[in-house]
Amino acid sequence: MNSMDSLDQGENDRRLSSPAARRNREPILAVLRSTLPGEGRVLEIASGSGEHAVYFARHLAPLCWQPTDSSETALASIAAWRESEALDNLAAPVHLDVTGHWPVLPDLAAMVCINLLHISPWAASEALFAAAGRQLPAGGVLVVYGPFRRHGEHTAPSNAAFDDDLRARDPRWGLRDLEAVERLAGDSGLQREAVHELPANNLCVVWRR
């Protein structure tokens, strides 16, 4: 989840824009290019404004990109971005609350989750990895991006300040210990394949079923 602003495209434009999404999309794309399979459907959890969805769908065809979110405002933004871009491999967004019902996608090949774990209760992390272990095919990947603590310590002063801000806003939020998340993954039958250090003290972590 990122801070999002409306585009200055007229009062009827439902597209939202996230500065963070524009900054991090290229480093994340580089990881996805080296990680995702060549075909199938990618389920993006918490797609936010939808800018990542259109950017990744454009650059990763013929993969089919399936955006989701639990926010009706976000879903409207994703739909508006999809309409403006007219990409054949970008599916219509669907409502998904990670702690609720998950859609069954027969051609699911991978899951991507960007900036969710630290802006949600721990139960959302538990639900995400349980669903990945349940729905991904053998060899399928889950890619998670965001800030983490490592070995109980923050990796940068800016991350520590961000963590304090998140917990002040909601005590259920906060940067997660990567080791604790790895235990969730292991319990769900996923093995960590790679940890990529990306700009602004974020990690892109790849797990494979």
Side-chain angles (χ1 to χ4, degrees):
M1 184 183 301
N2 297 312
S3 175
M4 293 183 288
D5 301 307
S6 296
L7 287 175
D8 186 16
Q9 299 285 343
E11 61 181 12
N12 295 321
D13 195 335
R14 298 170 298 165
R15 290 178 298 169
L16 299 174
S17 181
S18 165
R22 293 194 300 273
R23 287 194 301 268
N24 63 32
R25 63 187 185 181
E26 290 188 15
I28 296 174
L29 176 63
V31 174
L32 297 180
R33 284 189 188 279
S34 66
T35 302
L36 297 181
E39 59 184 9
R41 186 175 299 268
V42 180
L43 180 66
E44 183 186 8
I45 294 91
S47 300
S49 68
E51 291 171 287
H52 278 148
V54 296
Y55 188 76
F56 296 150
R58 183 185 307 120
H59 288 87
L60 294 170
L63 280 172
C64 180
W65 202 267
Q66 176 63 68
T68 72
D69 209 281
S70 62
S71 162
E72 293 303 322
T73 301
L75 291 170
S77 177
I78 299 164
W81 275 108
R82 177 175 180 262
E83 181 179 355
S84 70
E85 297 293 324
L87 298 170
D88 291 339
N89 64 323
L90 179 59
V94 298
H95 181 273
L96 174 61
D97 179 340
V98 292
T99 61
H101 174 73
W102 283 67
V104 176
L105 302 173
D107 57 345
L108 181 64
M111 294 182 180
V112 173
C113 182
I114 298 170
N115 283 334
L116 173 68
L117 301 192
H118 57 288
I119 314 183
S120 62
W122 180 244
S125 297
E126 295 174 324
L128 171 67
F129 282 90
R134 183 175 64 248
Q135 297 207 20
L136 282 174
V141 294
L142 168 64
V143 181
V144 175
Y145 169 89
F148 290 89
R149 294 183 302 201
R150 304 192 78 171
H151 309 292
E153 300 289 338
H154 289 291
T155 60
S158 60
N159 278 9
F162 183 38
D163 190 33
D164 288 342
D165 176 68
L166 289 173
R167 294 178 189 277
R169 291 162 58 189
D170 190 325
R172 301 174 302 166
W173 295 1
L175 274 64
R176 307 303 178 192
D177 286 317
L178 180 58
E179 294 74 24
V181 176
E182 287 180 338
R183 286 192 289 272
L184 285 183
D187 290 344
S188 298
L190 304 176
Q191 292 187 334
R192 192 185 78 182
E193 184 170 277
V195 177
H196 302 271
E197 296 188 6
L198 297 191
N201 302 302
N202 288 299
L203 301 179
C204 204
V205 190
V206 179
W207 284 275
R208 191 173 297 275
R209 182 174 179 272

